[in-house]
Each structure stands twice: as structure tokens, then as C-alpha cells.
Amino acid sequence: MSTAMVSRPTERAALSSPARALPPVSRVADLLIVARATGDRYGARHFSSMLDRLLGLGSDAR
């Protein structure tokens, strides 16, 4: 069976749903500070990436 024939409901939903607005920069910066202060490496990575996107610094900046 070809992988093109496999149904991917989550992919279809992600592509068909409208883009969600990102939170304000100040909120993301605060969450990044908290994540780093508490040693939450996953949260720090996540919020750092989100902050880069908001500031237009990320590799996927448009």
C-alpha cells in the first residue's frame, strides 16, 4: 500500500484549519523566563522557538 493512500486525519485537520494567532511577545517572554528558572528544558525550547517566530528571528520566519 502506498503511503499516499494512507488517511492522515491529524495532518488534514492541521492543513485545513485556520492559523491560530500567537500570544503577545511579553507573555511568551514571561513564560520563557519561568521555564528557564524552573529548569523546564522542553518549555524553554518551546517558548524560545515561539519567541523567535514572533520576533522574526527563526529559520521559518516569513
Side-chain angles (χ1 to χ4, degrees):
M1 175 183 253
S2 167
T3 56
M5 303 298 288
V6 175
S7 174
R8 296 181 177 95
T10 54
E11 181 180 7
R12 183 173 45 248
L15 294 174
S16 65
S17 63
R20 290 175 33 194
L22 292 172
V25 172
S26 59
R27 176 73 176 138
V28 175
D30 289 344
L31 291 169
L32 176 58
I33 291 168
V34 170
R36 287 183 176 166
T38 58
D40 179 4
R41 292 183 304 180
Y42 173 79
R45 224 176 13 246
H46 174 77
F47 293 122
S48 178
S49 174
M50 187 181 289
L51 189 58
D52 285 348
R53 286 179 57 201
L54 285 166
L55 297 175
L57 302 173
S59 60
D60 63 339
R62 297 169 200 222

